[in-house]
Amino acid sequence: MGQPPFIIIAIDGGAASGKSSSSKILADRFNLLHVDTGSFYRHITYELLRRKVPPTDHAAIIAALAELKFETRLNGRSAQMLIGGQPAGDEIRGQNVNDHVSHYAAVPEVRTALLAYQRGQTAVARQHGFRGLVMEGRDIGSVIFPDAEFRFFLHADPTERARRRENEGRIDSVAERDRIDSSRKTSPLCCPPGAIDIDSTFLNLDQVVEKMAALIAAKIQ
Ligand code: CDP
């Protein structure tokens, strides 16, 4: 028998919809590289804010992006982005980045700069002997990997999602980020046709994961 086929699982959804927790569990269960693309947008946002490049100044963004070198190292099963050799700090989960990330993520040049890097995570996964990858974000099933073996879209009521963030002790503009992410012209947050839509408002994490895992296991084992 040869190698089992490489599998790609895309998980999209709004802020605090449960993407990270569920994708980490799936990564463990099926030996996949976990790729949190939100952390990439957050890291770039932090770097552009540090350089005082506003999201409205596209020329300055293009010039800054040309200077940034993206690399990947493993942090457990997760892909960690390095910019100029440096990993992101805890600041990328702080309020300043929360308040600005959607504005930078709406800039087409920022998305273009990340496109090849995100697709290139398949090579990282293969190189480290993973069976595939699970990538979470907003446009994974629609733009980055529209042919992924599995494309999930997580829904949850916005009030419930804001409550989840509060329980984590984090101040987050969940509804405002969703509004900007869903209405931008380039790669808006949406459930692409054919993706499996899961409403997690009344499901706990285990129930969401079991739904996904059952579908994956049925197809790959
Ligand atoms: O963890 P949470 O769901 O709150 O957000 P995140 O996944 O860390 O993403 C932070 C922000 O990055 C989002 O609000 C989007 O503006 C942007 N993003 C995006 O535009 N496309 C992606 N594939 C992932 C994130």
Side-chain angles (χ1 to χ4, degrees):
M1 275 209 350
Q3 293 268 65
F6 189 86
I7 54 164
I8 297 181
I9 300 174
I11 305 186
D12 292 302
S17 56
K19 302 180 301 292
S20 282
S21 319
S22 49
S23 39
K24 280 183 192 157
I25 298 173
L26 292 176
D28 275 343
R29 197 172 298 184
F30 294 103
N31 183 28
L32 309 169
L33 175 69
H34 165 239
V35 188
D36 170 7
T37 62
S39 72
F40 301 165
Y41 283 95
R42 287 172 179 275
H43 198 168
I44 289 183
T45 295
Y46 180 78
E47 184 60 28
L48 293 174
L49 286 170
R50 195 181 68 77
R51 291 172 176 237
K52 303 202 177 353
V53 177
T56 43
D57 189 345
H58 289 207
I61 289 179
I62 293 169
L65 288 171
E67 289 175 10
L68 303 183
K69 187 167 174 233
F70 305 146
E71 291 164 301
T72 309
R73 77 174 180 200
L74 283 195
N75 179 14
R77 286 186 175 278
S78 297
Q80 185 174 44
M81 178 194 235
L82 305 178
I83 298 186
Q86 295 302 315
D90 293 342
E91 305 89 347
I92 68 160
R93 307 276 160 201
Q95 196 177 350
N96 197 25
V97 171
N98 279 342
D99 289 347
H100 291 91
V101 62
S102 293
H103 297 283
Y104 288 102
V107 176
E109 289 82 5
V110 170
R111 306 202 73 80
T112 306
L114 272 177
L115 188 72
Y117 177 73
Q118 291 172 99
R119 291 192 177 142
Q121 295 303 311
T122 53
V124 176
R126 287 179 202 275
Q127 185 192 337
H128 290 279
F130 289 102
R131 159 122 206 225
L133 61 79
V134 52
M135 184 174 279
E136 48 158 316
R138 301 292 186 291
D139 59 346
I140 312 308
S142 55
V143 174
I144 309 300
F145 291 122
D147 298 326
E149 278 74 17
F150 300 93
R151 294 179 304 149
F152 295 105
F153 191 88
L154 289 184
H155 267 110
D157 179 79
T159 319
E160 166 60 17
R161 291 188 281 125
R163 197 188 60 79
R164 289 177 190 169
R165 275 289 136 93
E166 261 175 53
N167 284 352
E168 293 167 4
R170 290 163 61 185
I171 302 165
D172 196 353
S173 33
V174 166
E176 177 62 2
R177 284 203 285 127
D178 273 7
R179 190 188 61 73
I180 303 171
D181 293 343
S182 310
S183 58
R184 69 182 173 222
K185 285 208 179 69
T186 314
S187 314
L189 167 68
C190 68
C191 180
I196 300 161
D197 197 334
I198 299 178
D199 185 342
S200 76
T201 309
F202 302 109
L203 300 177
N204 63 31
L205 177 61
D206 282 351
Q207 291 168 316
V208 170
V209 170
E210 286 320 314
K211 257 181 191 278
M212 293 171 159
L215 292 165
I216 298 167
K219 203 156 162 187
I220 69 170
Q221 274 158 10

